[in-house]
Coordinates of all heavy atoms in Angstrom, one line a residue:
M1 N -54.0 -6.6 -33.9 CA -52.5 -6.7 -33.7 C -52.0 -8.1 -33.6 O -51.1 -8.5 -34.2 CB -52.2 -5.9 -32.4 CG -50.7 -5.9 -32.0 SD -50.5 -4.9 -30.6 CE -49.2 -5.8 -29.8
F2 N -52.7 -8.9 -32.7 CA -52.2 -10.3 -32.6 C -52.5 -11.1 -33.9 O -51.8 -12.1 -34.2 CB -52.9 -11.0 -31.4 CG -52.5 -10.5 -30.1 CD1 -53.3 -9.7 -29.3 CD2 -51.2 -10.8 -29.7 CE1 -52.9 -9.2 -28.1 CE2 -50.7 -10.3 -28.4 CZ -51.6 -9.5 -27.7
K3 N -53.5 -10.7 -34.6 CA -53.8 -11.4 -35.9 C -52.6 -11.4 -36.8 O -52.3 -12.4 -37.4 CB -55.0 -10.7 -36.5 CG -55.4 -11.3 -37.9 CD -56.6 -10.5 -38.4 CE -56.9 -11.0 -39.8 NZ -58.0 -10.3 -40.4
Y4 N -52.0 -10.3 -36.9 CA -50.8 -10.2 -37.8 C -49.6 -11.0 -37.3 O -48.9 -11.6 -38.1 CB -50.5 -8.7 -38.1 CG -51.6 -8.0 -38.7 CD1 -52.2 -7.0 -38.0 CD2 -52.0 -8.2 -40.0 CE1 -53.3 -6.3 -38.5 CE2 -53.1 -7.6 -40.5 CZ -53.7 -6.6 -39.8 OH -54.8 -5.9 -40.3
Y5 N -49.5 -11.0 -36.0 CA -48.4 -11.8 -35.4 C -48.6 -13.3 -35.6 O -47.7 -14.0 -36.0 CB -48.4 -11.5 -33.9 CG -47.4 -12.3 -33.2 CD1 -46.0 -12.1 -33.3 CD2 -47.8 -13.4 -32.4 CE1 -45.1 -12.9 -32.6 CE2 -46.9 -14.1 -31.7 CZ -45.5 -13.9 -31.8 OH -44.6 -14.7 -31.2
F6 N -49.9 -13.7 -35.4 CA -50.1 -15.2 -35.5 C -50.1 -15.6 -37.0 O -49.9 -16.8 -37.3 CB -51.4 -15.6 -34.9 CG -51.4 -15.6 -33.4 CD1 -52.3 -14.8 -32.7 CD2 -50.5 -16.3 -32.7 CE1 -52.3 -14.8 -31.3 CE2 -50.4 -16.3 -31.4 CZ -51.3 -15.5 -30.6
E7 N -50.3 -14.7 -37.9 CA -50.2 -15.1 -39.4 C -48.8 -15.5 -39.7 O -48.6 -16.3 -40.7 CB -50.7 -14.0 -40.2 CG -52.2 -13.8 -40.2 CD -52.7 -12.6 -41.1 OE1 -51.8 -11.8 -41.6 OE2 -53.9 -12.5 -41.2
Q8 N -47.8 -15.0 -39.0 CA -46.4 -15.3 -39.4 C -45.9 -16.5 -38.7 O -44.9 -17.0 -39.1 CB -45.6 -14.1 -38.9 CG -45.9 -12.8 -39.7 CD -45.2 -11.6 -39.2 OE1 -44.4 -11.7 -38.2 NE2 -45.4 -10.5 -39.8
V9 N -46.7 -17.1 -37.7 CA -46.2 -18.3 -37.0 C -46.6 -19.5 -37.8 O -47.8 -19.6 -38.3 CB -46.9 -18.3 -35.6 CG1 -46.5 -19.6 -34.9 CG2 -46.5 -17.1 -34.8
E10 N -45.7 -20.4 -38.0 CA -46.0 -21.6 -38.8 C -46.8 -22.6 -37.9 O -46.6 -22.6 -36.7 CB -44.7 -22.3 -39.2 CG -44.0 -21.5 -40.3 CD -42.8 -22.3 -40.8 OE1 -42.8 -23.5 -40.7 OE2 -41.8 -21.6 -41.2
N11 N -47.7 -23.3 -38.5 CA -48.5 -24.4 -37.8 C -49.2 -23.8 -36.6 O -49.3 -24.4 -35.5 CB -47.6 -25.5 -37.3 CG -47.0 -26.2 -38.5 OD1 -47.5 -26.3 -39.6 ND2 -45.7 -26.7 -38.3
V12 N -49.8 -22.6 -36.8 CA -50.5 -21.9 -35.7 C -51.7 -22.7 -35.3 O -52.2 -22.6 -34.1 CB -50.8 -20.5 -36.0 CG1 -51.8 -20.4 -37.0 CG2 -51.1 -19.7 -34.8
A13 N -52.3 -23.5 -36.2 CA -53.5 -24.2 -35.9 C -53.3 -25.3 -34.9 O -54.3 -25.8 -34.2 CB -54.1 -24.8 -37.1
I14 N -52.1 -25.8 -34.7 CA -51.9 -26.9 -33.7 C -51.9 -26.4 -32.3 O -52.2 -27.2 -31.4 CB -50.5 -27.6 -34.1 CG1 -50.4 -28.9 -33.4 CG2 -49.4 -26.7 -33.7 CD1 -51.3 -30.0 -33.9
W15 N -51.6 -25.2 -32.0 CA -51.6 -24.7 -30.6 C -52.9 -24.8 -29.9 O -52.9 -25.1 -28.7 CB -51.0 -23.3 -30.6 CG -49.5 -23.3 -31.0 CD1 -49.0 -22.8 -32.2 CD2 -48.4 -23.9 -30.4 NE1 -47.7 -23.0 -32.3 CE2 -47.3 -23.7 -31.2 CE3 -48.3 -24.6 -29.2 CZ2 -46.0 -24.2 -30.8 CZ3 -47.0 -25.1 -28.8 CH2 -45.9 -24.9 -29.7
P16 N -54.0 -24.4 -30.5 CA -55.3 -24.6 -29.7 C -55.6 -26.0 -29.4 O -56.1 -26.4 -28.3 CB -56.3 -24.0 -30.6 CG -55.6 -23.1 -31.5 CD -54.2 -23.7 -31.7
I17 N -55.2 -26.9 -30.3 CA -55.4 -28.4 -30.0 C -54.5 -28.8 -28.9 O -55.0 -29.6 -28.0 CB -55.1 -29.2 -31.3 CG1 -56.2 -28.8 -32.4 CG2 -55.2 -30.7 -31.0 CD1 -55.9 -29.3 -33.7
I18 N -53.3 -28.4 -28.9 CA -52.4 -28.7 -27.8 C -52.9 -28.2 -26.4 O -52.9 -28.9 -25.4 CB -50.9 -28.3 -28.1 CG1 -50.4 -29.1 -29.2 CG2 -50.1 -28.3 -26.8 CD1 -49.0 -28.5 -29.7
S19 N -53.3 -26.9 -26.4 CA -53.8 -26.4 -25.2 C -55.1 -27.0 -24.7 O -55.2 -27.2 -23.5 CB -54.0 -24.9 -25.3 OG -55.0 -24.6 -26.3
L20 N -55.9 -27.4 -25.6 CA -57.2 -28.1 -25.2 C -56.8 -29.5 -24.6 O -57.4 -29.9 -23.7 CB -58.1 -28.3 -26.4 CG -59.4 -29.0 -26.1 CD1 -60.3 -28.2 -25.1 CD2 -60.2 -29.3 -27.4
S21 N -55.8 -30.1 -25.2 CA -55.4 -31.5 -24.8 C -54.8 -31.3 -23.4 O -55.1 -32.2 -22.5 CB -54.4 -32.1 -25.7 OG -54.9 -32.2 -27.0
I22 N -54.0 -30.3 -23.1 CA -53.4 -30.1 -21.8 C -54.5 -29.9 -20.8 O -54.5 -30.4 -19.7 CB -52.4 -29.0 -21.8 CG1 -51.1 -29.4 -22.6 CG2 -52.0 -28.6 -20.4 CD1 -50.2 -28.3 -22.9
F23 N -55.4 -29.0 -21.1 CA -56.5 -28.7 -20.2 C -57.3 -30.0 -19.9 O -57.7 -30.2 -18.8 CB -57.5 -27.6 -20.8 CG -58.8 -27.5 -20.0 CD1 -58.8 -26.8 -18.8 CD2 -59.9 -28.0 -20.5 CE1 -59.9 -26.7 -18.1 CE2 -61.1 -27.9 -19.8 CZ -61.1 -27.3 -18.6
F24 N -57.6 -30.8 -20.9 CA -58.4 -32.0 -20.8 C -57.7 -33.0 -19.9 O -58.3 -33.5 -18.9 CB -58.7 -32.6 -22.1 CG -59.7 -33.7 -22.0 CD1 -61.0 -33.5 -21.8 CD2 -59.3 -35.0 -22.2 CE1 -61.9 -34.6 -21.7 CE2 -60.1 -36.1 -22.1 CZ -61.5 -35.9 -21.9
V25 N -56.4 -33.2 -20.1 CA -55.7 -34.1 -19.2 C -55.6 -33.6 -17.8 O -55.8 -34.4 -16.8 CB -54.2 -34.3 -19.8 CG1 -53.3 -35.0 -18.8 CG2 -54.3 -35.1 -21.1
F26 N -55.4 -32.3 -17.6 CA -55.4 -31.7 -16.3 C -56.7 -31.9 -15.6 O -56.8 -32.3 -14.4 CB -55.0 -30.3 -16.3 CG -55.0 -29.6 -15.0 CD1 -54.0 -29.8 -14.1 CD2 -56.1 -28.8 -14.6 CE1 -54.0 -29.2 -12.8 CE2 -56.1 -28.2 -13.4 CZ -55.1 -28.4 -12.5
F27 N -57.8 -31.6 -16.3 CA -59.1 -31.7 -15.7 C -59.5 -33.2 -15.3 O -60.0 -33.4 -14.2 CB -60.2 -31.2 -16.7 CG -61.6 -31.2 -16.2 CD1 -62.0 -30.3 -15.3 CD2 -62.5 -32.2 -16.6 CE1 -63.3 -30.3 -14.8 CE2 -63.8 -32.2 -16.1 CZ -64.2 -31.2 -15.2
I28 N -59.1 -34.1 -16.2 CA -59.4 -35.5 -15.9 C -58.5 -36.0 -14.7 O -59.0 -36.7 -13.8 CB -59.1 -36.4 -17.1 CG1 -60.1 -36.1 -18.2 CG2 -59.1 -37.9 -16.7 CD1 -61.6 -36.4 -17.8
G29 N -57.2 -35.6 -14.6 CA -56.4 -35.9 -13.5 C -56.9 -35.3 -12.2 O -56.9 -36.0 -11.2
L30 N -57.3 -34.1 -12.2 CA -57.9 -33.5 -11.0 C -59.1 -34.1 -10.6 O -59.3 -34.3 -9.3 CB -58.1 -32.0 -11.3 CG -58.5 -31.1 -10.1 CD1 -57.4 -31.1 -9.1 CD2 -58.9 -29.7 -10.5
T31 N -60.0 -34.5 -11.5 CA -61.2 -35.3 -11.1 C -60.9 -36.6 -10.5 O -61.5 -37.0 -9.5 CB -62.1 -35.5 -12.4 OG1 -62.4 -34.2 -13.0 CG2 -63.4 -36.2 -12.1
I32 N -59.9 -37.3 -11.0 CA -59.5 -38.6 -10.4 C -58.9 -38.4 -9.0 O -59.2 -39.1 -8.1 CB -58.5 -39.3 -11.4 CG1 -59.3 -39.8 -12.6 CG2 -57.9 -40.5 -10.6 CD1 -58.3 -40.3 -13.7
Y33 N -58.1 -37.3 -8.9 CA -57.5 -37.0 -7.6 C -58.6 -36.7 -6.5 O -58.5 -37.2 -5.4 CB -56.6 -35.8 -7.7 CG -56.0 -35.3 -6.4 CD1 -55.0 -36.0 -5.8 CD2 -56.5 -34.1 -5.9 CE1 -54.5 -35.6 -4.6 CE2 -56.0 -33.7 -4.7 CZ -55.0 -34.4 -4.0 OH -54.5 -33.9 -2.8
V34 N -59.6 -36.0 -6.9 CA -60.7 -35.6 -6.0 C -61.5 -36.8 -5.6 O -61.8 -37.0 -4.4 CB -61.6 -34.5 -6.6 CG1 -62.9 -34.3 -5.7 CG2 -60.8 -33.2 -6.6
Y35 N -61.8 -37.7 -6.5 CA -62.6 -38.9 -6.2 C -61.8 -39.9 -5.3 O -62.3 -40.7 -4.6 CB -63.0 -39.6 -7.4 CG -64.3 -39.0 -8.0 CD1 -64.3 -38.4 -9.2 CD2 -65.5 -39.1 -7.2 CE1 -65.5 -37.8 -9.7 CE2 -66.6 -38.5 -7.7 CZ -66.6 -37.9 -9.0 OH -67.7 -37.3 -9.4
K36 N -60.4 -39.9 -5.4 CA -59.6 -40.8 -4.6 C -59.2 -40.2 -3.2 O -58.5 -40.9 -2.5 CB -58.4 -41.2 -5.4 CG -58.7 -42.1 -6.5 CD -57.4 -42.7 -7.1 CE -57.8 -43.8 -8.1 NZ -56.6 -44.5 -8.5
M37 N -59.6 -38.9 -2.9 CA -59.2 -38.3 -1.7 C -59.8 -39.0 -0.5 O -60.9 -39.6 -0.6 CB -59.6 -36.8 -1.7 CG -58.7 -36.0 -2.5 SD -59.1 -34.2 -2.3 CE -58.6 -33.9 -0.6
N38 N -59.2 -39.0 0.6 CA -59.7 -39.6 1.9 C -60.9 -38.7 2.3 O -60.8 -37.5 2.5 CB -58.6 -39.6 2.9 CG -59.0 -40.3 4.2 OD1 -60.1 -40.7 4.3 ND2 -58.0 -40.4 5.1
R39 N -62.0 -39.4 2.6 CA -63.2 -38.7 3.0 C -63.1 -38.1 4.4 O -63.6 -37.0 4.6 CB -64.4 -39.6 3.0 CG -64.7 -40.2 1.6 CD -65.2 -39.1 0.7 NE -65.4 -39.7 -0.7 CZ -65.0 -39.2 -1.8 NH1 -64.4 -38.0 -1.8 NH2 -65.2 -39.7 -2.9
E40 N -62.4 -38.7 5.3 CA -62.2 -38.1 6.6 C -61.3 -36.8 6.5 O -61.6 -35.9 7.3 CB -61.4 -39.2 7.5 CG -62.3 -40.4 7.8 CD -63.5 -40.0 8.6 OE1 -63.4 -39.1 9.5 OE2 -64.6 -40.5 8.3
H41 N -60.4 -36.8 5.6 CA -59.6 -35.6 5.5 C -60.4 -34.5 4.9 O -60.3 -33.3 5.4 CB -58.4 -35.9 4.5 CG -57.6 -34.7 4.3 ND1 -56.7 -34.1 5.2 CD2 -57.4 -33.9 3.2 CE1 -56.1 -33.1 4.7 NE2 -56.5 -32.9 3.5
I42 N -61.3 -34.8 4.0 CA -62.2 -33.8 3.5 C -63.2 -33.2 4.6 O -63.3 -32.0 4.7 CB -63.1 -34.3 2.3 CG1 -62.2 -34.6 1.1 CG2 -64.2 -33.4 1.9 CD1 -62.8 -35.4 0.0
K43 N -63.7 -34.1 5.4 CA -64.6 -33.6 6.5 C -63.8 -32.8 7.5 O -64.3 -31.8 8.0 CB -65.2 -34.8 7.2 CG -66.2 -35.5 6.3 CD -67.0 -36.6 7.1 CE -67.9 -37.2 6.1 NZ -69.1 -37.6 6.6
H44 N -62.5 -33.2 7.8 CA -61.7 -32.4 8.7 C -61.4 -31.0 8.1 O -61.5 -30.0 8.8 CB -60.4 -33.1 8.9 CG -59.4 -32.4 9.7 ND1 -59.5 -32.1 11.0 CD2 -58.2 -31.7 9.3 CE1 -58.5 -31.4 11.4 NE2 -57.7 -31.1 10.4
M45 N -61.1 -31.0 6.8 CA -60.8 -29.7 6.2 C -62.0 -28.8 6.1 O -61.9 -27.6 6.2 CB -60.2 -29.9 4.8 CG -58.9 -30.6 4.8 SD -57.6 -29.7 5.7 CE -57.3 -28.5 4.4
E46 N -63.2 -29.3 5.9 CA -64.4 -28.5 5.7 C -64.8 -27.9 7.1 O -65.5 -26.9 7.1 CB -65.6 -29.3 5.1 CG -66.2 -30.3 6.1 CD -67.4 -31.0 5.4 OE1 -67.4 -31.0 4.2 OE2 -68.2 -31.6 6.1
K47 N -64.4 -28.5 8.2 CA -64.8 -27.9 9.5 C -63.7 -27.0 10.1 O -64.0 -26.3 11.0 CB -64.9 -29.1 10.5 CG -66.1 -30.0 10.1 CD -66.6 -30.7 11.3 CE -67.7 -31.7 10.9 NZ -68.9 -31.0 10.3
M48 N -62.6 -26.9 9.4 CA -61.5 -26.1 9.9 C -61.8 -24.6 10.1 O -61.5 -24.0 11.1 CB -60.2 -26.2 9.1 CG -59.5 -27.5 9.4 SD -58.0 -27.6 8.4 CE -57.0 -26.4 9.2
P49 N -62.5 -24.0 9.1 CA -62.8 -22.5 9.3 C -63.8 -22.2 10.5 O -63.7 -21.1 11.0 CB -63.4 -22.1 8.0 CG -63.1 -23.2 7.0 CD -62.9 -24.4 7.8
L50 N -64.6 -23.2 10.9 CA -65.6 -23.0 11.9 C -65.1 -23.5 13.3 O -65.6 -23.0 14.3 CB -66.9 -23.7 11.5 CG -67.5 -23.2 10.2 CD1 -68.7 -24.0 9.9 CD2 -67.8 -21.7 10.2
A51 N -64.2 -24.4 13.3 CA -63.7 -25.0 14.6 C -62.7 -24.1 15.3 O -61.8 -23.6 14.6 CB -63.2 -26.4 14.4
K52 N -62.8 -24.0 16.6 CA -61.7 -23.2 17.3 C -60.5 -24.1 17.7 O -59.4 -23.7 17.6 CB -62.3 -22.7 18.6 CG -63.3 -21.6 18.4 CD -63.9 -21.1 19.7 CE -64.9 -20.0 19.4 NZ -65.6 -19.6 20.6
D53 N -60.8 -25.4 18.1 CA -59.7 -26.3 18.4 C -59.7 -27.4 17.4 O -60.4 -28.4 17.6 CB -60.0 -26.8 19.8 CG -58.8 -27.7 20.3 OD1 -57.7 -27.6 19.7 OD2 -59.0 -28.4 21.3
V54 N -59.0 -27.3 16.4 CA -59.0 -28.2 15.3 C -58.0 -29.4 15.6 O -58.2 -30.5 15.2 CB -58.6 -27.6 14.0 CG1 -58.5 -28.6 12.9 CG2 -59.6 -26.5 13.6
E55 N -57.0 -29.1 16.4 CA -56.0 -30.1 16.7 C -56.5 -31.3 17.5 O -56.2 -32.4 17.2 CB -54.8 -29.5 17.5 CG -54.0 -28.4 16.7 CD -53.4 -29.0 15.5 OE1 -52.9 -30.2 15.6 OE2 -53.3 -28.3 14.5
N56 N -57.4 -31.1 18.5 CA -58.0 -32.1 19.3 C -59.5 -32.0 19.3 O -60.1 -31.8 20.4 CB -57.4 -32.0 20.7 CG -55.9 -32.3 20.7 OD1 -55.4 -33.1 20.0 ND2 -55.2 -31.5 21.5
P57 N -60.1 -32.3 18.2 CA -61.6 -32.2 18.3 C -62.1 -33.4 19.1 O -61.7 -34.5 18.9 CB -62.0 -32.3 16.8 CG -60.9 -32.9 16.1 CD -59.7 -32.5 16.9
K58 N -63.0 -33.2 20.0 CA -63.6 -34.3 20.8 C -64.6 -35.1 20.1 O -64.6 -36.3 20.1 CB -64.2 -33.7 22.1 CG -63.2 -32.9 22.9 CD -63.8 -32.2 24.1 CE -62.8 -31.4 24.8 NZ -63.3 -30.4 25.7
S59 N -65.5 -34.4 19.4 CA -66.5 -35.1 18.6 C -67.1 -34.1 17.6 O -66.8 -32.9 17.7 CB -67.5 -35.7 19.4 OG -68.3 -34.7 20.0
H60 N -67.9 -34.6 16.7 CA -68.5 -33.7 15.8 C -69.5 -32.7 16.5 O -69.6 -31.6 16.1 CB -69.2 -34.5 14.7 CG -68.3 -35.2 13.8 ND1 -67.5 -34.5 12.9 CD2 -68.1 -36.5 13.6 CE1 -66.8 -35.4 12.2 NE2 -67.1 -36.6 12.6
S61 N -70.1 -33.2 17.5 CA -71.1 -32.3 18.2 C -70.3 -31.2 19.0 O -70.8 -30.1 19.1 CB -71.9 -33.1 19.2 OG -71.1 -33.8 20.2
D62 N -69.1 -31.5 19.5 CA -68.3 -30.5 20.2 C -67.9 -29.4 19.2 O -67.9 -28.2 19.5 CB -67.1 -31.1 20.8 CG -67.5 -31.9 22.0 OD1 -68.6 -31.8 22.6 OD2 -66.6 -32.7 22.4
L63 N -67.5 -29.9 18.0 CA -67.2 -28.9 16.9 C -68.3 -28.0 16.6 O -68.2 -26.8 16.3 CB -66.6 -29.6 15.7 CG -65.3 -30.3 15.8 CD1 -65.0 -31.1 14.5 CD2 -64.2 -29.3 16.1
K64 N -69.5 -28.6 16.6 CA -70.7 -27.8 16.2 C -71.0 -26.8 17.3 O -71.2 -25.6 16.9 CB -71.9 -28.8 16.1 CG -73.2 -28.2 15.7 CD -74.2 -29.2 15.6 CE -75.6 -28.6 15.4 NZ -76.6 -29.7 15.3
Y65 N -70.8 -27.1 18.6 CA -71.1 -26.1 19.6 C -70.0 -25.1 19.6 O -70.2 -23.9 19.9 CB -71.1 -26.8 21.0 CG -72.4 -27.6 21.1 CD1 -72.3 -29.0 21.4 CD2 -73.6 -27.0 21.0 CE1 -73.5 -29.7 21.5 CE2 -74.8 -27.7 21.1 CZ -74.7 -29.1 21.4 OH -75.8 -29.8 21.5
Q66 N -68.7 -25.4 19.3 CA -67.6 -24.5 19.3 C -67.8 -23.5 18.2 O -67.5 -22.3 18.3 CB -66.3 -25.2 19.2 CG -65.9 -25.9 20.4 CD -64.6 -26.7 20.2 OE1 -64.0 -26.6 19.1 NE2 -64.1 -27.3 21.2
A67 N -68.3 -24.0 17.1 CA -68.5 -23.1 15.9 C -69.6 -22.1 16.1 O -69.5 -21.0 15.7 CB -68.8 -24.0 14.7
H68 N -70.6 -22.5 16.9 CA -71.7 -21.6 17.1 C -71.6 -20.8 18.4 O -72.4 -20.0 18.8 CB -73.0 -22.3 17.1 CG -73.3 -22.9 15.8 ND1 -73.7 -22.1 14.7 CD2 -73.3 -24.2 15.4 CE1 -73.9 -22.9 13.7 NE2 -73.7 -24.2 14.1
G69 N -70.5 -21.0 19.2 CA -70.2 -20.2 20.3 C -70.8 -20.8 21.5 O -71.1 -21.0 22.5

């Protein structure tokens, strides 16, 4: 069904190249963003699901004990 639809579209071969280019630019941008992120923020975010008191963590060892009860 889509085959017949795409046969009628002019310059249909350019769309996969455009979509690949958009994906590639997005992937490179996201990779640069992740490498430039603040490491302390990443550590804070990774402990959030396990910590009970995230607003005022006393130390990493306190977070460890809170997470395990």
Side-chain angles (χ1 to χ4, degrees):
M1 178 175 145
F2 290 109
K3 177 181 175 184
Y4 300 113
Y5 175 73
F6 287 125
E7 285 179 352
Q8 297 173 359
V9 177
E10 291 184 28
N11 298 327
V12 72
I14 194 72
W15 294 110
I17 295 170
I18 290 172
S19 61
L20 179 65
S21 300
I22 291 170
F23 169 76
F24 187 73
V25 168
F26 177 77
F27 183 76
I28 294 298
L30 188 63
T31 302
I32 291 170
Y33 174 75
V34 168
Y35 278 115
K36 287 188 171 191
M37 283 183 73
N38 185 356
R39 299 291 178 225
E40 292 298 320
H41 179 70
I42 292 173
K43 289 186 184 216
H44 173 74
M45 295 299 284
E46 76 181 16
K47 298 204 182 297
M48 282 182 70
L50 302 176
K52 292 180 182 174
D53 186 16
V54 178
E55 295 297 324
N56 296 319
K58 298 173 186 165
S59 69
H60 289 294
S61 61
D62 290 341
L63 289 175
K64 184 177 172 183
Y65 290 122
Q66 288 177 359
H68 294 289

